[in-house]
Amino acid sequence: MQQPLETTGTPAGQPAPGNVPLYGPDFGSDPERTYDRLRASGHSAPVDIAPGVQVELVTSYDASLYILQNPNLFVRDSRRWNALNEGRVPEDSPALPMMGYRPNALFSDGAAHARLRQAVTDSLATVDQGRLIRLTQQSADYLISRFSSEPLGQAELMAAYAQPLPLLIFGDLFGCPPELGDRVIAGITGIFQGTTGADEILAGALGELIALKRRQPGEDLTTKLMVHSARLSDEEVLHQLVTLLSGGTAPLAAAIGTSVALYLSDDWPTGLPAEDAVVKTLWNYAPIANYAGHYPTQDVELGDRTLRAGDPVLISFAAANNDPKLTAHREQLSPKAHLAFGAGPHACPAKDPAFMITATAVESLLNRLPDVEMRVPFDELAWVPAPWSRTLVTVPIRYSPRTVPQAANARFKQPSAAQTASSSVGVPQPHAAHRPAHAARPKGGLFSRFRAWMNGE
């Protein structure tokens, strides 16, 4: 058996603590306390990631790096998962959508992974940095304009801004027509919310998008994936698009919300740039908190623990970033030494664009609402009680209401009840008093309304 790291924590022979549930309100309210308890077992400890689903959770920074950078010994293909193959994972487990195998780069190894990842990284490299910044600013301006004229001068930033902003960006980068963009947003949002049939909605919309790009190629990520020299099948293109959506939208929303809340907190030093709040978020509140399932190809000794071949090993990016052995001298490390974007061959291929989008979103909000402030202290905000992400439930803000110019007001009309229902993300609309009576109501869902606004309709 491999013995990569020296033993730390619990002395040899001392029993590890019983399984700790990594879900529910107790964990969600104070995950750091849970991680401290787990560290008593050494580099890793057994936890229940969902009811009836045990995994080994790695909390050590050094051990996390060892696993992430050792793809021959720790593979990502979850078809090796012993408990799943033996029928010991509940069929309705919330762990299955997150850990179950999908034919994408995230769950592939070796040559298959290299082929799919190269297609993704090459396609992402074609996105112009200046265009991405402008698209983020335009998306931010649109969403802020939807709520900033409310007479009460209050908004809930997660639902009104942080969550829909990445969806608008990805819809545009994918080259979605308005109606297909609405359905893509409805599908991916429904998956995160556990809505029945959301998988089918997303797959159907992306299938139609791929068929459209076969007929009418463009300068978008969908087309770039389709024409890449890796010669991806339509099914492979679809799965890579799903990976980009699921791996990009929710973590970006979490990073934007937390970064804004940190920047506006009473403890935030005056004068520091928005980028510093993003860096602190990535270190202290990793948006993807516990994930990256690995499956040892043989039994491996990790300190006092034996990682059995085929049993899932998850990386706690949140715990590793705050490893006490690391935090003592963290100021001496590079700001990018955190593991929020992973490491090794499966590291996030879009970490630089993700950082840029988050920082631009924070700056855009501060520029548009210069007197914005939190309505609740940062340390009193609630976190979503889930193991996978570190996401604030709400970010309540207040600001001085902004008057929307008469000429521009037609862009921000209240949709009908049916139109609101068709939108996957509810964005607060301007007050009726600010609407010209003759203005036509916008049609469609969130992406359709955004595109209409972009076109001055």
Side-chain angles (χ1 to χ4, degrees), residues 124 132 252 349-358:
L124 287 170
L132 184 60
L252 273 174
K351 56 185 177 181
D352 291 336
F355 187 93
M356 186 187 309
I357 290 170
T358 305

Side-chain angles (χ1 to χ4, degrees), residues 276-287:
D276 285 16
V278 180
V279 170
K280 185 171 182 178
T281 292
L282 296 175
W283 271 107
N284 291 11
Y285 308 96

Side-chain angles (χ1 to χ4, degrees), residues 17-345:
N19 282 17
V20 174
L22 224 67
Y23 54 88
D26 288 343
F27 169 75
S29 63
D30 192 0
E32 288 78 14
R33 179 179 58 189
T34 300
Y35 299 143
D36 285 342
R37 176 182 172 186
L38 295 173
R39 289 189 184 102
S41 296
H43 297 298
S44 68
V47 301
D48 286 343
I49 200 74
V53 181
Q54 176 177 305
V55 303
E56 189 79 9
L57 189 73
V58 181
T59 58
S60 157
Y61 183 90
D62 290 342
S64 296
L65 268 182
Y66 173 79
I67 292 170
L68 292 167
Q69 295 176 342
N70 198 339
N72 292 325
L73 189 57
F74 296 93
V75 299
R76 301 295 297 270
D77 190 336
S78 59
R79 289 175 294 186
R80 292 173 174 263
W81 186 357
N82 291 333
L84 181 63
N85 293 333
E86 295 165 6
R88 293 187 283 114
V89 177
E91 294 183 359
D92 60 349
S93 173
L96 284 177
M98 301 297 295
M99 296 175 59
Y101 174 79
R102 297 173 188 268
N104 59 33
L106 190 64
F107 291 94
S108 300
D109 301 290
H113 169 256
R115 170 176 169 270
L116 294 174
R117 183 179 174 88
Q118 194 65 52
V120 171
T121 54
D122 289 349
S123 300
L124 287 170
T126 66
V127 178
D128 178 73
Q129 176 176 323
R131 181 198 167 211
L132 184 60
I133 291 175
R134 290 191 298 274
L135 177 57
T136 304
Q137 291 170 335
Q138 290 167 339
S139 302
D141 286 347
Y142 169 71
L143 295 170
I144 294 168
S145 296
R146 303 286 287 183
F147 66 78
S148 61
S149 61
E150 287 287 347
L152 292 178
Q154 296 184 0
E156 196 294 284
L157 209 64
M158 291 303 295
Y161 188 70
Q163 291 168 353
L165 191 148
L167 297 170
L168 296 178
I169 292 172
F170 273 88
D172 193 279
L173 292 179
F174 283 6
C176 292
E179 188 273 337
L180 275 180
D182 289 340
R183 288 166 55 198
V184 167
I185 289 176
I188 191 64
T189 304
I191 288 174
F192 287 130
Q193 295 175 345
T195 304
T196 302
D199 277 315
E200 290 77 10
I201 293 173
L202 180 60
L206 290 178
E208 290 185 32
L209 177 63
I210 292 168
L212 173 64
K213 297 303 176 180
R214 290 283 181 205
R215 301 189 304 270
Q216 303 173 18
E219 295 298 317
D220 49 71
L221 281 177
T222 306
T223 301
K224 299 297 183 183
L225 283 169
M226 294 170 64
V227 302
H228 191 270
S229 59
R231 301 176 64 86
L232 271 60
S233 68
D234 285 358
E235 181 183 9
E236 288 176 325
V237 172
L238 187 150
H239 282 290
Q240 308 326 302
L241 292 176
V242 172
T243 302
L244 287 169
L245 275 173
S246 59
T249 54
L252 273 174
I256 293 169
T258 304
S259 297
V260 169
L262 272 175
Y263 191 93
L264 298 179
S265 66
D266 293 337
D267 296 334
W268 188 255
T270 303
L272 288 182
E275 288 90 343
D276 285 16
V278 180
V279 170
K280 185 171 182 178
T281 292
L282 296 175
W283 271 107
N284 291 11
Y285 308 96
I288 301 177
N290 305 287
Y291 197 47
H294 291 75
Y295 299 84
T297 57
Q298 64 185 65
D299 289 0
V300 179
E301 290 184 3
L302 193 70
D304 289 335
R305 300 286 300 168
T306 298
L307 311 182
R308 300 294 182 187
D311 284 351
V313 178
L314 267 60
I315 305 297
S316 179
F317 301 109
N321 279 350
N322 293 285
D323 186 335
K325 292 176 60 179
L326 188 72
T327 54
H329 59 275
R330 203 165 74 182
E331 293 182 357
Q332 302 171 13
L333 300 176
S334 164
K336 297 182 179 181
H338 59 77
L339 297 181
F341 293 123

